């Protein structure tokens, strides 16, 4: 006996010939519920123009959550393709309703008993058909976008881009000036984070009026738009019909600097080899990268909001980095490294043990889910056990990540001359990892007054044991 049915409707433009207004879907579903005598507790509606893109559908997720919580006991949709487009989603849906003990799925075109194999197979076949339609729709849309992109025409709507008027063509002088400034600062090595907080302090807001964050800033600076170029699938495809604020060459450099995925999690710009490795001998704070006004890269003990330093120490980056690289390469060429080699060997064994535990835990989670599905254990037992195992897995994943750090040295251990030869060609992240594998930190002493030349005596490396 159904007591709390759910109606799910989805607006989608991917079937242009039989486009279904959401009201029509809802009306049909309500009528069906009335015929079946199912009281409808809630209607879930997603405005989803592109299910095939794998975009999240909030109402659908909410529906699944409510089913999981045991608050719904039947689902009505206009047709099963409203529910899911990806086979993966369909399997998840089966899992959820099976776990919740739901049998009743009604569609306007006919009911499917999901408790039976035949019913599930029917749903799978319908899903496969929908998927095929979705693929051909995707091809159609892609073609249209490619045509637009090739023509350098405007595509899409929404809020105006920063630096441009509402017509998305005319450059706004005041904002363009800011875009230029930001581009130069990033290229000089300023971090996105510090630029954002600077913009917000200066009261410069985004086009939507919300404060700047690194995601918004990054995507603006990486866009081809600011250099008058049209993009397609993140690739620059040619000149656009609007003007340029920065040069295409600057865009190319910005994309190289900001495109590094490792930079995303890092506070420091990637151009700084010794990010997080320098310590102020005066106050103990970690130095941060901050270019001089003339653009030369430098590290400073920073004061002010968000910083804990004393402001008394700064040093230019180039000479210091060259010095430390030499010291690291020299270090890797000494017998001290033989000891590290031996230590690393034991670490590898340890790492494979941790990896084994992780795999075991994953199997345990799967078994638990099966036991729950077979009703051998209850929901709260399942959740309690799962929480415990997941906590252990998180700890082990972190442990494993720490251990694999030293793999940066793979291939170069005991072969320092090869490392020296290739050093300049290694990506900065790799160089950083190699330095970090042997160097704990460098203590930076104050400059001696009157001494303007680079002074190696100011830098005391502290090696890892
Ligand atoms: Zn300091």
């Amino acid at each position: 006996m159904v007591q709390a049915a759910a109606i799910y409707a989805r607006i989608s433009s991917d079937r242009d010939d039989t486009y279904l207004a959401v009201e029509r879907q809802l009306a049909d579903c309500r009528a069906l519920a009335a015929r079946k005598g199912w009281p409808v507790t809630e209607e879930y509606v997603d405005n989803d123009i592109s299910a095939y893109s794998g975009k999240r559908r909030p109402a659908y997720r909410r529906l699944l959550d409510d089913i999981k919580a045991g608050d719904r006991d039947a689902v009505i949709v206009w047709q099963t393709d409203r529910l899911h487009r990806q086979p993966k989603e369909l399997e998840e849906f089966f899992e959820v309703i099976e776990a919740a003990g739901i049998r009743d799925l009604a569609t306007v075109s006919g009911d499917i008993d999901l408790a039976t194999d035949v019913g599930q197979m029917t749903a799978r076949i319908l899903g496969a058909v929908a998927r095929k339609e979705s693929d051909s729709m995707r091809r159609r849309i892609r073609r249209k976008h490619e045509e637009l992109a090739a023509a350098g025409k405007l595509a899409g709507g929404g809020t105006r881009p920063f630096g441009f008027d509402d017509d998305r063509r005319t450059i706004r002088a005041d904002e363009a000036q800011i875009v230029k400034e930001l581009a130069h600062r990033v290229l000089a090595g300023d971090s996105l984070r510090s630029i954002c907080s600077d913009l917000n302090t200066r009261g410069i807001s985004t086009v939507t009026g919300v404060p700047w964050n690194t995601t918004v800033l990054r995507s603006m600076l990486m866009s081809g738009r600011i250099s008058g170029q049209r993009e397609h699938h993140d690739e620059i495809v040619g000149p656009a019909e609007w003007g340029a604020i920065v040069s295409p060459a600057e865009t190319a450099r910005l994309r190289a600097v900001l495109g590094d995925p490792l930079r995303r999690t890092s506070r420091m710009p990637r151009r700084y080899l010794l990010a997080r490795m320098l310590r102020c001998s005066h106050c103990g704070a970690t130095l941060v990268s901050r270019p001089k006004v003339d653009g030369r890269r430098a590290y400073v003990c920073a004061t002010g909001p968000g910083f804990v330093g004393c402001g008394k120490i700064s040093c230019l980056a180039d000479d210091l980095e060259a010095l430390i690289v030499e010291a690291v390469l020299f270090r890797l060429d000494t017998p001290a490294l033989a000891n590290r080699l031996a230590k690393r060997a034991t670490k590898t064994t340890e790492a494979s043990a941790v990896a084994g535990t992780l795999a075991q835990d994953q199997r345990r989670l799967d078994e638990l889910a099966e036991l729950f599905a077979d009703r051998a254990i209850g929901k709260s037992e399942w959740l309690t056990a799962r929480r415990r195992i997941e906590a252990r897995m998180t700890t082990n994943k972190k442990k494993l990540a720490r251990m694999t750090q030293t793999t940066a040295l793979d291939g170069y251990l005991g072969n320092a001359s090869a490392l020296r030869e290739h050093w300049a060609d290694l990506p900065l992240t790799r160089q950083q990892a190699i330095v970090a594998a042997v160097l704990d930190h460098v203590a930076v002493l104050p400059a001696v007054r009157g001494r303007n030349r680079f002074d190696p005596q100011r830098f005391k490396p502290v090696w890892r044991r």
Side-chain angles (χ1 to χ4, degrees):
M1 183 63 185
V2 171
Q3 283 170 340
I7 288 180
Y8 179 76
R10 178 161 68 85
I11 312 168
S12 125
S13 63
D14 46 7
R15 296 155 58 93
D16 29 10
D17 45 346
T18 56
Y19 179 79
L20 279 171
V22 71
E23 266 319 310
R24 159 117 188 265
Q25 291 179 44
L26 287 174
D28 286 351
C29 290
R30 284 176 202 141
L32 179 61
R35 270 204 308 281
K36 297 177 93 58
W38 292 358
V40 174
T41 310
E42 195 169 349
E43 296 179 348
Y44 303 78
V45 179
D46 273 321
N47 187 343
D48 173 33
I49 305 302
S50 48
Y52 51 79
S53 71
K55 234 192 258 165
R56 288 181 70 83
R57 293 182 277 150
Y60 181 70
R61 300 314 310 181
R62 202 154 44 78
L63 169 67
L64 289 191
D65 286 344
D66 288 351
I67 293 174
K68 279 182 204 161
D71 295 338
R72 304 286 173 268
D73 55 6
V75 179
I76 304 171
V77 289
W78 198 83
Q79 206 171 297
T80 48
D81 70 355
R82 298 293 112 182
L83 270 177
H84 20 62
R85 274 303 163 90
Q86 322 276 358
K88 206 175 65 197
E89 276 188 323
L90 186 63
E91 293 311 318
E92 186 197 10
F93 186 71
F94 285 154
E95 257 176 54
V96 170
I97 59 166
E98 219 165 71
I102 290 186
R103 294 170 151 260
D104 296 306
L105 173 70
T107 72
V108 173
S109 52
D111 293 355
I112 298 173
D113 185 356
L114 291 167
T116 68
D117 287 341
V118 176
Q120 293 201 355
M121 193 180 70
T122 311
R124 279 196 188 93
I125 292 168
L126 290 173
V129 172
R131 173 84 188 152
K132 229 178 172 174
E133 280 174 7
S134 163
D135 282 345
S136 69
M137 182 62 193
R138 182 167 40 196
R139 274 195 297 277
R140 263 208 309 284
I141 289 182
R142 191 169 31 195
R143 261 203 308 280
K144 190 175 151 207
H145 275 274
E146 271 161 5
E147 279 160 21
L148 281 172
K153 289 269 189 325
L154 292 162
T159 20
R160 69 175 179 87
F162 190 84
F164 294 85
D165 271 340
D166 285 331
D167 64 4
R168 304 169 78 85
R169 291 160 210 264
T170 316
I171 291 173
R172 289 168 83 111
D174 53 338
E175 290 184 358
Q177 206 48 49
I178 294 164
V179 173
K180 274 186 201 153
E181 176 203 323
L182 304 182
H184 293 156
R185 283 173 68 176
V186 166
L187 291 177
D190 233 354
S191 75
L192 291 176
R193 205 178 290 249
S194 68
I195 293 176
C196 284
S197 74
D198 177 46
L199 286 172
N200 294 331
T201 316
R202 282 157 65 187
I204 298 165
S205 64
T206 57
V207 286
T208 53
V210 299
W212 287 91
N213 61 53
T214 52
T215 313
V216 170
L217 181 62
R218 177 187 289 106
S219 75
M220 180 186 82
L221 290 176
M222 283 183 78
S223 72
R225 163 167 272 283
I226 59 170
S227 53
Q229 300 183 91
R230 187 72 178 73
E231 267 174 76
H232 182 61
H233 286 311
D234 295 334
E235 300 273 1
I236 286 174
V237 290
E241 54 180 353
W242 58 86
I245 297 172
V246 301
S247 71
E250 281 171 313
T251 288
R253 284 169 62 208
L254 284 167
R255 287 164 82 98
V257 169
L258 295 172
D260 185 342
L262 278 165
R263 185 195 162 100
R264 280 156 200 255
T265 52
S266 147
R267 267 173 176 273
M268 295 287 190
R270 63 188 277 281
R271 300 199 309 119
Y272 284 81
L273 175 69
L274 300 175
R276 288 183 295 274
M277 301 222 69
L278 304 178
R279 250 177 241 174
C280 172
S281 64
H282 195 81
C283 70
T286 302
L287 303 197
V288 303
S289 58
R290 184 178 289 170
K292 300 262 182 207
V293 271
D294 61 10
R296 282 185 300 168
R297 298 181 312 119
Y299 296 98
V300 300
C301 183
T303 52
F307 295 105
V308 294
C310 64
K312 289 187 178 151
I313 286 208
S314 96
C315 55
L316 286 169
D318 288 344
D319 289 333
L320 167 61
E321 288 171 1
L323 172 80
I324 297 301
V325 167
E326 265 317 302
V328 165
L329 292 175
F330 182 77
R331 179 100 183 152
L332 285 170
D333 225 354
T334 59
L337 197 69
N339 296 329
R340 284 195 55 79
L341 246 166
K343 256 187 227 161
R344 259 179 46 79
T346 57
K347 273 203 169 164
T348 314
T349 333
E350 213 181 308
S352 63
V354 174
T357 315
L358 264 174
Q360 240 171 36
D361 278 343
Q362 185 56 56
R363 275 198 298 278
R364 270 191 203 114
L365 277 183
D366 295 344
E367 281 165 17
L368 270 172
E370 267 171 42
L371 286 174
F372 175 63
D374 294 344
R375 295 184 173 73
I377 55 170
K379 191 170 179 179
S380 69
E381 288 170 274
W382 178 37
L383 291 178
T384 311
R386 194 174 71 178
R387 226 169 281 138
R388 206 176 304 151
I389 295 175
E390 279 173 347
R392 187 166 60 213
M393 287 176 78
T394 309
T395 314
N396 279 333
K397 277 180 195 160
K398 280 188 196 150
K399 216 188 225 175
L400 201 59
R402 274 199 305 274
M403 285 174 179
T404 40
Q405 237 169 24
T406 47
T407 54
L409 285 164
D410 280 355
Y412 293 119
L413 272 168
N415 192 357
S417 59
L419 180 57
R420 187 181 295 273
E421 204 176 300
H422 294 142
W423 183 263
D425 301 326
L426 293 176
L428 189 102
T429 45
R430 184 85 195 272
Q431 293 177 344
Q432 275 172 333
I434 290 171
V435 171
V438 291
L439 183 69
D440 188 74
H441 69 275
V442 178
V444 183
L445 307 171
V448 177
R449 208 176 279 272
R451 207 179 280 177
N452 282 327
R453 297 177 66 87
F454 175 66
D455 179 6
Q457 301 299 325
R458 288 180 61 200
F459 308 103
K460 306 286 176 213
V462 177
W463 303 105
R464 283 187 191 280
R465 292 176 175 280

